Coordinates of all heavy atoms in Angstrom, one line a residue:
M2 N -23.0 52.5 66.3 CA -22.1 51.4 66.6 C -20.7 51.8 66.4 O -20.4 52.3 65.3 CB -22.5 50.2 65.8 CG -21.7 48.9 66.0 SD -22.1 47.5 65.0 CE -23.9 47.3 65.3
N3 N -19.8 51.6 67.3 CA -18.4 51.9 67.1 C -17.7 50.8 66.2 O -18.2 49.8 66.0 CB -17.6 52.2 68.4 CG -17.5 51.0 69.3 OD1 -17.4 49.8 68.8 ND2 -17.6 51.2 70.6
K4 N -16.5 51.1 65.8 CA -15.8 50.2 64.8 C -15.5 48.9 65.5 O -15.6 47.9 64.8 CB -14.4 50.9 64.4 CG -14.6 52.0 63.4 CD -15.0 51.5 62.1 CE -15.1 52.7 61.1 NZ -15.5 52.3 59.8
E5 N -15.1 48.9 66.8 CA -14.8 47.6 67.4 C -16.0 46.7 67.5 O -16.0 45.5 67.2 CB -14.3 47.8 68.8 CG -12.9 48.5 68.9 CD -12.9 50.0 68.7 OE1 -14.0 50.6 68.8 OE2 -11.8 50.5 68.4
D6 N -17.2 47.3 67.8 CA -18.4 46.5 67.9 C -18.8 46.0 66.5 O -19.3 44.9 66.3 CB -19.6 47.3 68.5 CG -19.4 47.5 70.0 OD1 -18.7 46.8 70.6 OD2 -20.1 48.5 70.5
A7 N -18.7 46.9 65.5 CA -19.0 46.5 64.1 C -18.1 45.3 63.7 O -18.6 44.3 63.1 CB -18.8 47.7 63.2
L8 N -16.9 45.4 64.0 CA -15.9 44.3 63.6 C -16.3 43.0 64.4 O -16.3 41.9 63.8 CB -14.5 44.7 63.9 CG -13.4 43.7 63.5 CD1 -13.5 43.4 62.0 CD2 -12.1 44.3 63.9
L9 N -16.6 43.1 65.6 CA -17.0 41.9 66.4 C -18.3 41.3 65.8 O -18.4 40.1 65.6 CB -17.3 42.3 67.8 CG -17.8 41.2 68.8 CD1 -16.7 40.1 68.9 CD2 -18.1 41.8 70.1
H10 N -19.3 42.1 65.4 CA -20.5 41.6 64.8 C -20.2 40.9 63.5 O -20.8 39.8 63.2 CB -21.6 42.7 64.7 CG -22.2 43.2 65.9 ND1 -23.2 42.4 66.6 CD2 -21.9 44.2 66.7 CE1 -23.5 43.1 67.7 NE2 -22.8 44.2 67.8
Y11 N -19.4 41.5 62.7 CA -19.0 41.0 61.4 C -18.3 39.6 61.5 O -18.7 38.6 60.9 CB -18.1 42.0 60.6 CG -17.4 41.4 59.4 CD1 -18.1 41.2 58.2 CD2 -16.1 40.9 59.5 CE1 -17.4 40.6 57.1 CE2 -15.4 40.4 58.5 CZ -16.1 40.2 57.3 OH -15.5 39.6 56.2
K12 N -17.3 39.6 62.4 CA -16.6 38.3 62.6 C -17.5 37.2 63.2 O -17.4 36.1 62.8 CB -15.4 38.6 63.5 CG -14.3 39.4 62.9 CD -13.6 38.6 61.9 CE -12.3 39.2 61.4 NZ -11.6 38.4 60.4
T13 N -18.3 37.6 64.1 CA -19.3 36.6 64.7 C -20.2 36.0 63.6 O -20.4 34.8 63.6 CB -20.1 37.2 65.8 OG1 -19.2 37.8 66.8 CG2 -21.0 36.2 66.5
A14 N -20.7 36.9 62.8 CA -21.6 36.4 61.7 C -20.9 35.5 60.7 O -21.4 34.5 60.3 CB -22.3 37.6 61.0
M15 N -19.6 35.9 60.4 CA -18.9 35.1 59.5 C -18.5 33.7 60.0 O -18.5 32.7 59.2 CB -17.6 35.8 59.0 CG -17.8 37.0 58.1 SD -18.7 36.5 56.6 CE -17.5 35.5 55.8
V16 N -18.3 33.6 61.3 CA -18.1 32.2 61.9 C -19.3 31.3 61.6 O -19.2 30.2 61.3 CB -17.8 32.4 63.4 CG1 -17.9 31.0 64.1 CG2 -16.4 33.0 63.6
V17 N -20.5 31.9 61.8 CA -21.7 31.1 61.6 C -21.8 30.7 60.1 O -22.0 29.5 59.8 CB -23.0 31.9 62.0 CG1 -24.2 31.2 61.5 CG2 -23.0 32.2 63.5
F18 N -21.5 31.6 59.2 CA -21.6 31.3 57.8 C -20.5 30.3 57.3 O -20.7 29.5 56.5 CB -21.7 32.5 56.9 CG -23.0 33.3 57.1 CD1 -23.0 34.6 57.7 CD2 -24.2 32.7 56.8 CE1 -24.1 35.3 57.9 CE2 -25.4 33.4 57.0 CZ -25.3 34.7 57.5
K19 N -19.4 30.4 57.9 CA -18.3 29.5 57.6 C -18.7 28.0 58.1 O -18.3 27.1 57.4 CB -17.0 29.9 58.3 CG -16.3 31.0 57.5 CD -14.9 31.3 58.1 CE -14.1 32.2 57.3 NZ -12.8 32.4 57.8
N20 N -19.3 28.0 59.2 CA -19.8 26.7 59.7 C -20.9 26.1 58.7 O -20.9 24.9 58.4 CB -20.4 26.8 61.1 CG -19.4 26.9 62.2 OD1 -18.3 26.4 62.0 ND2 -19.7 27.5 63.3
W21 N -21.7 27.0 58.2 CA -22.7 26.5 57.2 C -22.0 26.0 55.9 O -22.4 25.0 55.4 CB -23.6 27.7 56.8 CG -24.6 28.0 57.8 CD1 -24.7 27.6 59.1 CD2 -25.7 28.9 57.7 NE1 -25.8 28.2 59.8 CE2 -26.4 29.0 58.9 CE3 -26.2 29.7 56.6 CZ2 -27.6 29.8 59.0 CZ3 -27.3 30.4 56.7 CH2 -28.0 30.5 58.0
L22 N -20.9 26.7 55.5 CA -20.1 26.3 54.4 C -19.5 24.9 54.6 O -19.6 24.0 53.8 CB -19.0 27.3 54.1 CG -18.1 26.9 52.9 CD1 -18.9 26.9 51.6 CD2 -16.9 27.9 52.9
A23 N -19.0 24.7 55.8 CA -18.4 23.4 56.2 C -19.4 22.3 56.1 O -19.1 21.1 55.9 CB -17.7 23.5 57.5
K24 N -20.7 22.6 56.4 CA -21.8 21.6 56.4 C -22.5 21.5 55.1 O -23.5 20.9 55.0 CB -22.8 21.9 57.5 CG -22.2 21.8 58.9 CD -23.1 22.2 60.0 CE -22.5 22.1 61.4 NZ -23.3 22.5 62.4
D25 N -22.0 22.2 54.1 CA -22.5 22.3 52.7 C -23.9 22.9 52.7 O -24.7 22.5 51.8 CB -22.5 20.9 52.1 CG -21.1 20.4 51.8 OD1 -20.3 21.3 51.4 OD2 -20.8 19.2 51.9
V26 N -24.3 23.8 53.6 CA -25.5 24.4 53.6 C -25.5 25.6 52.5 O -26.5 25.9 51.9 CB -25.9 25.0 55.0 CG1 -27.2 25.8 54.9 CG2 -26.0 23.9 56.0
I27 N -24.3 26.2 52.4 CA -24.1 27.3 51.4 C -22.8 26.9 50.6 O -22.1 26.1 51.0 CB -24.0 28.7 52.1 CG1 -22.7 28.7 53.0 CG2 -25.2 29.1 52.8 CD1 -22.4 30.1 53.6
T28 N -22.7 27.6 49.5 CA -21.5 27.4 48.6 C -20.5 28.5 48.9 O -20.7 29.5 49.5 CB -21.9 27.4 47.1 OG1 -22.4 28.8 46.8 CG2 -23.0 26.4 46.8
N29 N -19.3 28.3 48.3 CA -18.2 29.3 48.4 C -18.7 30.6 47.8 O -18.4 31.7 48.3 CB -17.0 28.9 47.6 CG -16.1 28.0 48.5 OD1 -16.0 28.2 49.7 ND2 -15.5 27.0 47.9
A30 N -19.4 30.6 46.7 CA -20.0 31.8 46.0 C -20.9 32.5 47.0 O -20.9 33.7 47.1 CB -20.7 31.4 44.7
D31 N -21.8 31.7 47.7 CA -22.7 32.3 48.6 C -21.9 33.0 49.8 O -22.3 34.1 50.2 CB -23.6 31.2 49.3 CG -24.6 30.6 48.3 OD1 -24.9 31.2 47.3 OD2 -24.9 29.4 48.5
L32 N -20.9 32.3 50.2 CA -20.1 32.9 51.3 C -19.4 34.2 50.9 O -19.4 35.2 51.7 CB -19.0 31.9 51.8 CG -18.2 32.4 53.0 CD1 -19.1 32.5 54.2 CD2 -17.1 31.4 53.3
L33 N -18.9 34.3 49.7 CA -18.3 35.6 49.2 C -19.4 36.7 49.1 O -19.1 37.8 49.5 CB -17.7 35.3 47.8 CG -16.4 34.5 47.8 CD1 -15.9 34.3 46.4 CD2 -15.3 35.2 48.6
E34 N -20.6 36.3 48.7 CA -21.6 37.3 48.6 C -22.0 37.8 50.0 O -22.2 39.0 50.3 CB -22.8 36.7 47.9 CG -23.9 37.7 47.6 CD -25.1 37.2 46.7 OE1 -24.9 36.1 46.1 OE2 -26.1 37.8 46.8
I35 N -22.2 36.8 50.9 CA -22.5 37.1 52.3 C -21.4 38.0 52.9 O -21.7 39.0 53.6 CB -22.7 35.8 53.1 CG1 -24.0 35.1 52.7 CG2 -22.7 36.1 54.6 CD1 -24.1 33.7 53.2
D36 N -20.2 37.7 52.6 CA -19.1 38.5 53.2 C -19.2 40.0 52.7 O -19.0 40.9 53.5 CB -17.7 37.9 52.7 CG -16.5 38.7 53.1 OD1 -16.3 38.8 54.4 OD2 -15.8 39.2 52.3
T37 N -19.5 40.2 51.4 CA -19.6 41.5 50.9 C -20.8 42.2 51.5 O -20.7 43.4 51.9 CB -19.9 41.4 49.4 OG1 -18.7 40.8 48.8 CG2 -20.0 42.8 48.8
I38 N -21.9 41.5 51.7 CA -23.1 42.2 52.3 C -22.8 42.5 53.8 O -23.2 43.7 54.2 CB -24.3 41.2 52.2 CG1 -24.7 41.0 50.8 CG2 -25.5 41.7 53.1 CD1 -25.7 39.9 50.5
L39 N -22.2 41.6 54.5 CA -21.9 41.9 55.9 C -20.9 43.1 56.1 O -21.0 43.9 57.0 CB -21.4 40.7 56.6 CG -22.4 39.6 56.9 CD1 -21.8 38.4 57.5 CD2 -23.5 40.1 57.8
A40 N -19.9 43.1 55.2 CA -18.9 44.2 55.3 C -19.6 45.5 55.0 O -19.3 46.5 55.8 CB -17.8 43.9 54.2
R41 N -20.5 45.6 54.1 CA -21.2 46.8 53.8 C -22.1 47.2 55.0 O -22.1 48.3 55.4 CB -22.0 46.6 52.5 CG -22.6 47.9 52.0 CD -23.3 47.7 50.6 NE -22.4 47.0 49.6 CZ -22.8 46.0 48.9 NH1 -24.1 45.5 49.1 NH2 -22.0 45.4 48.1
K42 N -22.8 46.2 55.5 CA -23.7 46.4 56.6 C -23.0 47.0 57.8 O -23.5 47.9 58.5 CB -24.4 45.1 57.0 CG -25.3 45.2 58.2 CD -25.9 43.9 58.6 CE -26.8 44.0 59.8 NZ -27.5 42.8 60.2
Y43 N -21.8 46.5 58.1 CA -21.0 46.9 59.3 C -20.0 48.0 59.0 O -19.2 48.4 59.8 CB -20.4 45.7 60.0 CG -21.4 44.8 60.6 CD1 -21.6 43.5 60.1 CD2 -22.3 45.2 61.6 CE1 -22.6 42.7 60.6 CE2 -23.2 44.4 62.1 CZ -23.4 43.2 61.7 OH -24.4 42.3 62.2
G44 N -20.1 48.6 57.8 CA -19.2 49.7 57.5 C -17.8 49.4 57.3 O -16.9 50.3 57.5
L45 N -17.4 48.2 56.9 CA -16.0 47.9 56.7 C -15.7 48.1 55.2 O -16.4 47.8 54.3 CB -15.8 46.4 57.0 CG -16.1 46.0 58.4 CD1 -15.9 44.5 58.6 CD2 -15.1 46.7 59.4
S46 N -14.5 48.7 55.0 CA -14.1 48.9 53.6 C -13.8 47.6 52.9 O -13.4 46.6 53.5 CB -12.8 49.7 53.7 OG -12.1 49.7 52.4
S47 N -14.0 47.6 51.6 CA -13.7 46.4 50.8 C -12.2 46.1 50.8 O -11.8 45.0 50.5 CB -14.2 46.5 49.4 OG -13.5 47.6 48.8
C48 N -11.4 47.0 51.3 CA -9.9 46.8 51.4 C -9.5 46.6 52.8 O -8.3 46.5 53.1 CB -9.2 48.1 50.9 SG -9.6 48.5 49.2
S49 N -10.4 46.4 53.7 CA -10.1 46.2 55.1 C -9.3 44.9 55.3 O -9.6 43.9 54.7 CB -11.4 46.1 55.9 OG -11.1 45.8 57.3
I50 N -8.3 45.0 56.2 CA -7.5 43.8 56.5 C -8.3 42.8 57.3 O -7.9 41.7 57.5 CB -6.2 44.1 57.2 CG1 -6.5 44.8 58.5 CG2 -5.3 45.0 56.3 CD1 -5.2 45.1 59.4
Y51 N -9.4 43.2 57.9 CA -10.2 42.3 58.7 C -11.2 41.5 58.0 O -11.8 40.6 58.6 CB -11.0 43.2 59.8 CG -10.1 44.0 60.6 CD1 -10.0 45.4 60.5 CD2 -9.2 43.4 61.6 CE1 -9.1 46.1 61.3 CE2 -8.4 44.1 62.3 CZ -8.3 45.5 62.2 OH -7.5 46.2 63.0
L52 N -11.4 41.7 56.7 CA -12.4 40.9 55.9 C -11.9 39.4 55.8 O -10.7 39.1 55.8 CB -12.6 41.5 54.5 CG -13.2 42.8 54.5 CD1 -13.4 43.3 53.0 CD2 -14.5 42.9 55.2
E53 N -12.9 38.5 55.7 CA -12.6 37.1 55.6 C -12.0 36.7 54.2 O -11.2 35.8 54.1 CB -13.8 36.3 55.9 CG -14.4 36.5 57.3 CD -13.5 35.9 58.3 OE1 -12.9 34.8 58.2 OE2 -13.3 36.6 59.4
N54 N -12.4 37.5 53.2 CA -11.9 37.2 51.9 C -10.5 37.8 51.7 O -10.3 38.9 51.3 CB -12.8 37.8 50.8 CG -12.4 37.4 49.4 OD1 -11.6 36.5 49.2 ND2 -13.0 38.1 48.4
D55 N -9.5 37.1 52.2 CA -8.1 37.6 52.3 C -7.3 37.5 51.0 O -6.8 36.5 50.6 CB -7.4 36.8 53.4 CG -6.0 37.4 53.7 OD1 -5.7 38.5 53.2 OD2 -5.3 36.7 54.5
L56 N -7.2 38.7 50.3 CA -6.5 38.7 49.1 C -5.0 38.8 49.3 O -4.2 38.7 48.4 CB -7.0 39.9 48.2 CG -8.4 39.7 47.8 CD1 -8.8 41.0 46.9 CD2 -8.7 38.5 47.0
L57 N -4.6 39.0 50.5 CA -3.2 39.0 50.9 C -2.6 37.5 51.0 O -1.4 37.3 50.9 CB -2.9 39.7 52.2 CG -3.2 41.2 52.2 CD1 -3.0 41.8 53.6 CD2 -2.4 41.9 51.1
C58 N -3.5 36.6 51.0 CA -3.2 35.2 51.1 C -2.6 34.7 49.8 O -3.2 35.0 48.7 CB -4.4 34.4 51.5 SG -4.1 32.7 51.9
K59 N -1.5 34.0 49.8 CA -0.7 33.7 48.6 C -1.6 33.0 47.6 O -1.5 33.3 46.4 CB 0.4 32.8 49.0 CG 1.3 32.4 47.8 CD 2.4 31.5 48.3 CE 3.3 31.1 47.1 NZ 4.4 30.2 47.5
E60 N -2.4 32.0 47.9 CA -3.2 31.3 46.9 C -4.3 32.1 46.3 O -4.8 31.7 45.2 CB -3.7 30.0 47.5 CG -4.7 30.1 48.6 CD -4.0 30.1 50.0 OE1 -2.7 30.1 50.0 OE2 -4.7 30.1 51.0
N61 N -4.7 33.3 46.8 CA -5.7 34.1 46.3 C -5.1 35.2 45.4 O -5.9 35.9 44.8 CB -6.5 34.7 47.4 CG -7.4 33.7 48.1 OD1 -7.7 32.6 47.6 ND2 -7.7 34.0 49.3
R62 N -3.8 35.4 45.4 CA -3.2 36.5 44.6 C -3.0 36.1 43.2 O -2.5 35.0 42.9 CB -1.9 36.9 45.3 CG -2.1 37.5 46.7 CD -0.9 37.8 47.4 NE -0.2 38.8 46.6 CZ 1.1 39.2 46.9 NH1 1.7 38.6 47.9 NH2 1.7 40.2 46.2
V63 N -3.2 37.0 42.3 CA -3.0 36.8 40.9 C -1.6 36.6 40.5 O -1.2 35.8 39.7 CB -3.6 38.0 40.1 CG1 -3.3 37.9 38.6 CG2 -5.1 38.1 40.3
I64 N -0.7 37.2 41.2 CA 0.7 37.2 40.9 C 1.3 35.7 41.0 O 2.3 35.4 40.4 CB 1.6 38.1 41.8 CG1 2.9 38.3 41.2 CG2 1.6 37.6 43.2 CD1 3.7 39.4 41.8
Y65 N 0.6 34.9 41.7 CA 1.0 33.5 41.9 C 0.2 32.5 41.0 O 0.3 31.3 41.1 CB 0.9 33.0 43.3 CG 1.9 33.8 44.2 CD1 1.5 34.7 45.1 CD2 3.3 33.5 44.1 CE1 2.4 35.4 45.9 CE2 4.2 34.2 44.8 CZ 3.8 35.2 45.7 OH 4.7 35.8 46.5
G66 N -0.6 33.1 40.1 CA -1.3 32.2 39.1 C -0.4 31.6 38.1 O 0.7 32.0 37.9
T67 N -0.9 30.7 37.3 CA -0.1 30.1 36.3 C -0.2 30.9 35.0 O -1.2 31.5 34.7 CB -0.5 28.6 36.0 OG1 -1.9 28.6 35.6 CG2 -0.3 27.8 37.2
V68 N 0.9 30.8 34.2 CA 0.9 31.4 32.9 C 1.8 30.6 31.9 O 2.9 30.2 32.3 CB 1.4 32.9 32.9 CG1 2.8 32.9 33.5 CG2 1.3 33.5 31.6
K69 N 1.3 30.2 30.8 CA 2.1 29.5 29.7 C 3.3 28.8 30.2 O 4.5 29.3 29.9 CB 2.4 30.6 28.6 CG 1.2 31.1 27.9 CD 1.7 32.0 26.8 CE 0.5 32.6 26.1 NZ 0.9 33.6 25.1
G70 N 3.2 27.7 30.8 CA 4.3 26.9 31.2 C 5.1 27.3 32.4 O 6.1 26.8 32.7
G71 N 4.6 28.3 33.1 CA 5.3 28.7 34.3 C 4.4 29.3 35.3 O 3.2 29.0 35.3
Q72 N 4.9 30.1 36.2 CA 4.0 30.8 37.1 C 4.5 32.2 37.2 O 5.6 32.5 37.1 CB 4.1 30.2 38.5 CG 3.5 28.8 38.6 CD 3.4 28.4 40.1 OE1 4.2 28.6 40.9 NE2 2.3 27.7 40.4
Y73 N 3.5 33.1 37.4 CA 3.8 34.5 37.6 C 4.7 34.6 38.9 O 4.5 33.9 39.8 CB 2.5 35.4 37.9 CG 1.6 35.6 36.7 CD1 0.4 35.0 36.6 CD2 2.1 36.3 35.6 CE1 -0.4 35.1 35.5 CE2 1.3 36.5 34.5 CZ 0.0 35.9 34.5 OH -0.8 36.1 33.4
G74 N 5.5 35.6 38.9 CA 6.3 35.9 40.1 C 7.6 35.0 40.2 O 8.3 35.0 41.2
Q75 N 7.8 34.1 39.2 CA 9.0 33.3 39.2 C 9.9 33.6 38.0 O 9.4 33.9 37.0 CB 8.6 31.8 39.2 CG 7.9 31.3 40.4 CD 7.6 29.8 40.3 OE1 7.8 29.2 39.3 NE2 7.1 29.3 41.4
K76 N 11.2 33.4 38.2 CA 12.1 33.6 37.1 C 12.0 32.5 36.1 O 11.5 31.5 36.3 CB 13.5 33.7 37.7 CG 13.8 34.9 38.5 CD 15.2 35.0 39.0 CE 15.4 36.2 39.8 NZ 16.8 36.3 40.3
N77 N 12.5 32.8 34.9 CA 12.6 31.8 33.8 C 11.2 31.5 33.2 O 11.0 30.3 32.9 CB 13.3 30.5 34.3 CG 14.7 30.8 34.7 OD1 15.4 31.6 34.2 ND2 15.2 30.0 35.7
N78 N 10.3 32.4 33.1 CA 9.1 32.2 32.5 C 9.2 32.5 31.0 O 9.8 33.4 30.5 CB 8.0 33.1 33.0 CG 7.4 32.5 34.3 OD1 7.6 31.4 34.6 ND2 6.7 33.3 35.1

């Protein structure tokens, strides 16, 4: 299977599982585990920009987490 086909299969499967999540058939934890399994199955790196678990997204980044009366990444902490 070439990379384009692998990515298409991965994305298609994730759409199905995201629909299950929306219908409360699975939990967020289940979705993360499924994401990891599918990425491995289709040969995608855990650092791939195509994965559904987007760590580049602001709310998922540690740098924007809270810390003792402030937030990381902001002045005056």
Side-chain angles (χ1 to χ4, degrees):
M2 180 179 307
N3 64 34
K4 289 286 185 183
E5 291 82 15
D6 287 342
L8 185 58
L9 179 64
H10 287 282
Y11 166 79
K12 289 290 193 180
T13 303
M15 286 303 295
V16 167
V17 172
F18 292 117
K19 281 185 170 184
N20 285 334
W21 287 10
L22 178 65
K24 294 176 182 177
D25 292 325
V26 175
I27 61 174
T28 65
N29 278 323
D31 293 333
L32 186 63
L33 288 174
E34 187 175 342
I35 290 166
D36 180 61
T37 302
I38 292 168
L39 288 174
R41 193 175 308 130
K42 176 180 179 178
Y43 293 114
L45 299 173
S46 166
S47 62
C48 299
S49 175
I50 62 172
Y51 300 111
L52 294 183
E53 298 293 318
N54 185 15
D55 184 9
L56 296 179
L57 297 177
C58 187
K59 182 178 177 180
E60 60 270 8
N61 293 335
R62 293 178 64 190
V63 174
I64 196 168
Y65 294 108
T67 60
V68 62
K69 294 184 183 176
Q72 288 191 324
Y73 289 111
Q75 294 183 352
K76 293 182 179 180
N77 300 326
N78 278 343

